[in-house]
Amino acid sequence: MSRPDDQEDRIPMTAHLSWPDPKFEPHEALAPDGTLLEDDEVNIGTLEQIYKTMLCARRFDERLLKLQRQGALGTFAPIKGQEAAQIGAAACLREDDWLVPSFRETGAALWRGADMADLLVTLAGWNAGNDLPEGARTLPDTVPVASQLPIAVGIAHAGRLRGEDAIVMACFGDGATSEGDFHEALNFAGVLEAPVVFLCQNNGWAISTPRARQTASQTLAQKAHAYGIPAAQVDGNDALAVMQVTQEAVALARDKGQPAMIEALTYRMEVHTTADDPTRYRDEGEVEEWQDRDPIERVRKLLVARSQLDDAMQEALEEEIRDRIDAAWSEARDRISRLEETPGTAMFDHIFAEPTAPLRRQRKEFSDQEEAAND
C-alpha cells in the first residue's frame, strides 16, 4: 500500500534523509585516518570548536570516573566514544532550540554551555545542580529510558502553537527504541508535524543486551518510517558526517515543521554506568576494534593535516581543560559543603506547588525524626 497523497506531498526529500526505502547506507565524511572522503567544504573554525569540546568532554568524563571511584560522586553514565555523535549534532542547534537529553549527553550539554560545577553538584546527589538558569533550553538528564521523548514532542508542538520557529532535539539510545514511549512520541510527532529531531545514539548495547538481541529490524532508523517520518543512518564516530546529516534534519524541522530521525552508529567504550561491569557480557577485542575509530582522533588528525593543530597547541589545550575542570570541582566542593547543611525536609520543597495532605504529614514525620536524632 502506498501512503496517502497528502503524505507524499508533505515529506520532502533531502540528500541523506530517506523515505520510504528502508535500505540505509550510513553516511560518512571523515575516514578514521582523518582524510576527507568527499571533496566538501569544511568549516574549520566550527570543527576546531567541536574538537575542543569533544576533548573537554573526554577529560571531564575521565575525571568524573575517578571521583566516582573515590566515593565523591554517585553513579553516572560515561560518554567515552560517543562525543562526536552528540556534540556534532548539538552544534547544529541555535541557542533558542531545545535539547532534551537522556542520561548520557554530557558532551552535548557542555557544547550548550552547561556549567561543569552544576554537573558535578548534580552527580554528587544534589538537585540544586539542576536549577536551570532563566531562559535555558537544555533540560536536565532523564534517567527513565525514553520517558523524555513524548515530552520533547510536547515542547515542539507547544512552540509551534506559540508561533516560534525553534526546534527540539531529543536524544536517546538504542535501548529506548524498545520502549513504548519511543513509539508514542514518534506517532505524535508524525501526526502533529512537530519539529523534532530524534537523535538515536546506537552504541550497540542496551546495558548488557546486544543490538542483535533487542530487535529484528534491519536498522533502528527504519522504525521512523512506520510513523511517516524520514530518517537517516550516519557514522556516529564521524563528527563531520553527523553535522551534515543533522543540518538537513534541523532544516527540515525548522523550515517545514517536519520531524526526522537520525540513527548515529557509535560505540560505548566505557561502562554503561559506573554500576556496570561490561567484561561480563562483551569481548575486549570488540572494544579495541572501536578504539581504532576514536571520534576525537579523527578530527585531531584532520586539524593536524590542515596545520590547525600541533603538539604545542595540543598541550596548551590539555592544560586549559585541566585548569577548567579543577576550578569546577573546587567550586562544586564548596557548594556541596554548604548544601550538606540543608535540612532534610528540603526534599519535599519542589514536588507540588501546593503540598498535598500526605506530603505535609510525611514532612512533619521526617522533621520530627530529624529533631529526635539531633537531640
Side-chain angles (χ1 to χ4, degrees):
M1 289 180 73
S2 61
R3 292 172 296 138
D5 289 342
D6 62 333
Q7 285 206 350
E8 289 283 356
D9 293 338
R10 77 180 181 86
I11 302 181
M13 296 301 95
T14 70
H16 300 110
L17 292 168
S18 157
W19 174 272
D21 185 356
K23 295 179 181 178
F24 293 95
E25 290 292 336
H27 176 56
E28 297 178 286
L30 192 60
D33 65 0
T35 59
L36 291 172
L37 298 176
E38 300 175 0
D39 188 21
D40 289 336
E41 287 287 329
V42 177
N43 187 327
I44 288 294
T46 299
L47 214 53
E48 283 181 321
Q49 290 305 312
I50 286 176
Y51 175 72
K52 291 176 181 178
T53 306
M54 288 199 298
L55 185 64
C56 182
R58 176 73 61 88
R59 297 295 178 253
F60 187 52
D61 207 53
E62 292 166 350
R63 181 69 68 87
L64 293 179
L65 195 57
K66 290 179 181 177
L67 290 170
Q68 195 279 333
R69 299 305 192 209
Q70 294 166 6
L73 302 178
T75 298
F76 79 99
I79 67 168
K80 184 178 180 180
Q82 297 184 218
E83 295 90 353
Q86 55 184 258
I87 295 171
C92 300
L93 297 177
R94 295 190 325 210
E95 188 175 345
D96 64 333
D97 290 331
W98 292 85
L99 179 72
V100 180
S102 63
F103 49 78
R104 200 188 303 276
E105 272 72 52
T106 309
L110 291 174
W111 177 270
R112 299 271 290 173
D115 187 331
M116 282 186 184
D118 284 342
L119 298 176
L120 287 159
V121 169
T122 301
L123 292 174
W126 298 94
N127 285 335
N130 280 328
D131 288 347
L132 296 178
E134 187 69 29
R137 292 199 165 191
T138 300
L139 299 191
D141 285 356
T142 307
V143 175
V145 176
S147 61
Q148 75 278 13
L149 301 182
I151 295 170
V153 177
I155 292 171
H157 184 54
R160 283 304 157 100
L161 291 177
R162 291 195 297 263
E164 298 179 1
D165 72 339
I167 65 107
V168 178
M169 179 174 289
C171 304
F172 54 100
D174 44 299
T177 64
S178 293
E179 296 286 342
D181 282 343
F182 165 80
H183 297 275
E184 291 154 8
L186 265 68
N187 188 51
F188 272 112
V191 171
L192 297 173
E193 300 186 31
V196 184
V197 174
F198 294 97
L199 176 65
C200 175
Q201 295 174 74
N202 179 0
N203 64 25
W205 293 90
I207 309 181
S208 58
T209 302
R211 160 69 176 81
R213 294 280 301 278
Q214 185 189 165
T215 177
S217 294
Q218 183 180 3
T219 69
L220 300 181
Q222 71 194 71
K223 293 177 183 285
H225 286 177
Y227 303 104
I229 295 175
Q233 270 193 339
V234 65
D235 182 346
N237 283 23
D238 180 345
L240 186 57
V242 171
M243 283 182 62
Q244 291 172 345
V245 172
T246 306
Q247 285 167 350
E248 290 183 11
V250 167
L252 183 63
R254 196 182 316 281
D255 301 337
K256 303 294 184 181
Q258 297 294 324
M261 178 173 160
I262 299 170
E263 179 187 359
L265 301 173
T266 183
Y267 193 77
R268 163 173 55 86
M269 291 198 284
E270 258 295 348
V271 294
H272 170 71
T273 71
T274 47
D276 173 47
D277 179 7
T279 62
R280 298 180 63 183
Y281 56 80
R282 73 181 186 189
D283 192 301
E284 190 61 30
E286 179 181 286
V287 180
E288 292 174 359
E289 179 183 341
W290 278 88
Q291 285 174 342
D292 292 336
R293 302 177 62 189
D294 190 309
I296 297 178
E297 275 298 292
R298 285 195 195 189
V299 181
R300 187 191 69 79
K301 290 174 180 176
L302 176 65
L303 294 176
V304 169
R306 296 287 184 101
S307 300
Q308 301 297 127
L309 185 68
D310 57 28
D311 290 345
M313 295 165 66
Q314 178 74 28
E315 186 177 341
L317 180 57
E318 295 276 9
E319 183 177 356
E320 177 188 329
I321 291 171
R322 279 195 302 271
D323 290 346
R324 183 181 170 192
I325 295 173
D326 288 343
W329 178 229
S330 178
E331 179 186 339
R333 280 185 301 179
D334 289 343
R335 289 169 58 183
I336 291 167
S337 65
R338 294 194 297 272
L339 287 165
E340 287 172 343
E341 301 173 5
T342 305
T345 52
M347 75 172 78
F348 298 97
D349 289 346
H350 304 292
I351 300 176
F352 293 110
E354 294 295 331
T356 61
L359 275 178
R360 288 195 294 270
R361 183 176 66 252
Q362 291 169 27
R363 181 180 184 125
K364 185 178 185 311
E365 290 174 358
F366 189 92
S367 179
D368 291 345
Q369 292 172 10
E370 261 197 335
E371 290 178 7
N374 292 330
D375 287 342

